[in-house]
Amino acid sequence: MEKPTILVVEDEPAIADTIQYALESEGFRCLRLEVGAGVVEVLDRQPVALVVLDIGLPDVSGVEVCRRIRQRHDVPVIFLTARGGEVDRVVGLELGADDYVIKPFSPRELAARAKAVLRRARSAGSASQSPPSGTAFKLDEERRQITYFGRPLELSRYEYKLLAVLLKRPGRVYSRDELLELVWDAPEASLDRTVDAHVKNLRAKLRDIRPDADPIATHRGMGYSLKEGL
Ligand code: CA
């Protein structure tokens, strides 16, 4: 099988080198560009499985590049962004990116994200062949209620918010830091083990309903995700 090609658009050569090394060790082929101009032309010319796109590019912002890509291609995009950086992360995702990674990031984390995004893209492509799924969880944001196999969960405020974040992007691995920022009101006052404690409680509540299922995956040294295909 031919190696999937990932286009890396990053103006800092040292960062691009690290990314290329990490992706190539995972069996991908890498193309590199240092500016945003020309990205769409590369996509027009050859099949690309995924674009890793720095937001802070010297010529045109990654957000604008993503917009241009979206006019012609539905290739998945992962944004690279500085912490507290150029774009609000949620906005980044709304603009049509599939995921984002905050600098500084570990190459291993980026490679894991890339694989998850590609897995999702593949399963979305073959969705018509598989039976309907997604009945395990139902999220009702207006009522702030989550049901699990038809049973409403009794969740604390943070347990609810934590599970709601995971539910929205199955397969997406969230680091403890990200979860603290997305879920907690005062993340700087909270600790990584706050996240762990809440995940532990959540798991206990889910186990009460279905002892044989463990829908939250732990990624050692990285964080948590909701398992895909539930
Ligand atoms: Ca940059």
Side-chain angles (χ1 to χ4, degrees):
M1 211 176 95
E2 207 174 314
K3 291 179 177 179
T5 301
I6 299 185
L7 173 59
V8 177
V9 189
E10 164 63 65
D11 57 306
E12 287 172 67
I15 297 180
D17 284 347
T18 326
I19 294 173
Q20 177 168 12
Y21 179 78
L23 294 177
E24 286 180 350
S25 5
E26 294 289 343
F28 297 108
R29 197 168 79 89
C30 256
L31 293 175
R32 281 166 60 166
L33 284 177
E34 295 188 355
V35 292
V39 168
V40 173
E41 287 70 17
V42 169
L43 297 178
D44 286 346
R45 270 203 309 270
Q46 58 186 298
V48 168
L50 171 73
V51 180
V52 173
L53 182 57
D54 184 27
I55 288 185
L57 292 168
D59 57 338
V60 42
S61 97
V63 173
E64 174 56 27
V65 174
C66 186
R67 211 174 271 132
R68 291 180 194 170
I69 293 174
R70 281 288 162 265
Q71 288 169 359
R72 304 202 355 211
H73 298 279
D74 60 0
V75 59
V77 173
I78 296 180
F79 273 144
L80 303 178
T81 172
R83 181 168 279 284
E86 302 92 335
V87 73
D88 183 275
R89 295 174 219 173
V90 181
V91 171
L93 296 177
E94 279 170 2
L95 286 171
D98 295 80
D99 205 348
Y100 57 85
V101 175
I102 298 165
K103 291 178 181 178
F105 53 85
S106 81
R108 201 169 60 125
E109 180 192 357
L110 177 66
R113 294 287 173 80
K115 284 197 281 188
V117 165
L118 288 172
R119 228 176 12 245
R120 278 206 301 272
R122 267 199 307 274
S123 63
S126 61
S128 52
Q129 292 144 34
S130 49
S133 62
T135 48
F137 286 100
K138 275 209 184 67
L139 171 64
D140 182 343
E141 290 188 275
E142 281 184 16
R143 292 182 179 77
R144 298 181 75 80
Q145 177 68 65
I146 298 171
T147 53
Y148 183 53
F149 291 105
R151 298 255 305 269
L153 291 164
E154 301 262 344
L155 302 175
S156 74
R157 173 156 163 264
Y158 286 132
E159 286 165 2
Y160 166 82
K161 288 176 76 178
L162 183 60
L163 186 54
V165 164
L166 295 177
L167 279 175
K168 285 181 185 173
R169 300 181 77 77
R172 204 298 197 175
V173 179
Y174 290 89
S175 69
R176 291 172 178 81
D177 276 353
E178 285 177 314
L179 290 170
L180 282 173
E181 275 193 45
L182 289 166
V183 173
W184 270 265
D185 292 331
E188 61 287 348
S190 307
L191 298 165
D192 286 2
R193 61 173 181 272
T194 311
V195 176
D196 295 339
H198 281 77
V199 168
K200 188 168 170 234
N201 290 345
L202 258 179
R203 280 189 167 133
K205 290 179 180 181
L206 299 173
R207 229 180 3 251
D208 282 347
I209 294 178
R210 277 289 291 263
D212 55 326
D214 183 16
I216 299 175
T218 304
H219 301 263
R220 280 178 76 87
M222 293 202 279
Y224 296 102
S225 71
L226 191 83
K227 291 178 185 165
E228 290 171 279
L230 294 167

